[in-house]
Amino acid sequence: MPDAEDVRRIALSLPDTTEKTAWSMPTFRVAGKMFATLPEDETSMAVRCPKDERDELVLAEPDKFWIAGHEAQFAWVRARLAALEGEDELRDILADSWRQAAPVRLQDSHPGLGLPGE
């Protein structure tokens, strides 16, 4: 079961990623743009997710994913770390979120990162 330190380690291994505290929680940014946070007691993470995909995720796996009320109007979803199937799933989720925030130059430098099957 992944934990907050796994989130931190994997997020910081992604290209041009930094950690910054904001709103009293760790946030992870690529080229200055936020793609993941460790809210509250660090038992979950928030990541970027297109709204149409986010709604499908929450309906398909409500024990794993949910939408925080204050994030409902934004393209973010929460994931319970204890519900993830291991580091591979955690890495896939973080890489996908990274890709959504990364500038085109970084995406082009890492063409498979964050894409299905990578």
Side-chain angles (χ1 to χ4, degrees), residues 31-116:
K33 196 168 181 184
M34 193 165 40
F35 71 92
T37 70
L38 279 167
E40 291 94 33
D41 60 3
E42 298 187 354
T43 60
S44 68
M45 66 177 175
V47 292
R48 290 177 173 266
C49 185
K51 286 184 180 180
D52 56 334
E53 292 177 27
R54 168 186 83 170
D55 296 341
E56 290 177 25
L57 276 175
V58 171
L59 287 173
E61 299 183 83
D63 292 337
K64 188 182 291 187
F65 299 104
W66 86 98
I67 302 165
H70 67 280
E71 295 169 345
Q73 72 268 28
F74 304 107
W76 286 79
V77 69
R78 299 277 182 108
R80 291 174 182 84
L81 298 178
L84 298 180
E85 296 173 16
E87 279 196 31
D88 288 342
E89 185 177 26
L90 174 60
R91 185 178 318 281
D92 289 347
I93 291 169
L94 286 169
D96 180 63
S97 186
W98 177 91
R99 184 169 249 336
Q100 293 175 59
V104 173
R105 69 174 170 77
L106 276 176
Q107 292 179 39
D108 290 348
S109 296
H110 304 278
L113 186 61
L115 295 177

Side-chain angles (χ1 to χ4, degrees), residues 17 19 21 30 46 86 92 100:
T17 295
E19 181 176 348
T21 300
V30 56
D92 289 347
Q100 293 175 59

Side-chain angles (χ1 to χ4, degrees), residues 7-20 27-33 35-36 94 98 102 106 113:
V7 172
R8 181 172 279 108
R9 177 177 47 79
I10 293 169
L12 291 172
S13 75
L14 297 170
D16 203 21
T17 295
T18 58
E19 181 176 348
K20 179 180 179 181
T27 67
F28 301 93
R29 299 161 188 257
V30 56
K33 196 168 181 184
F35 71 92
L94 286 169
W98 177 91
L106 276 176
L113 186 61

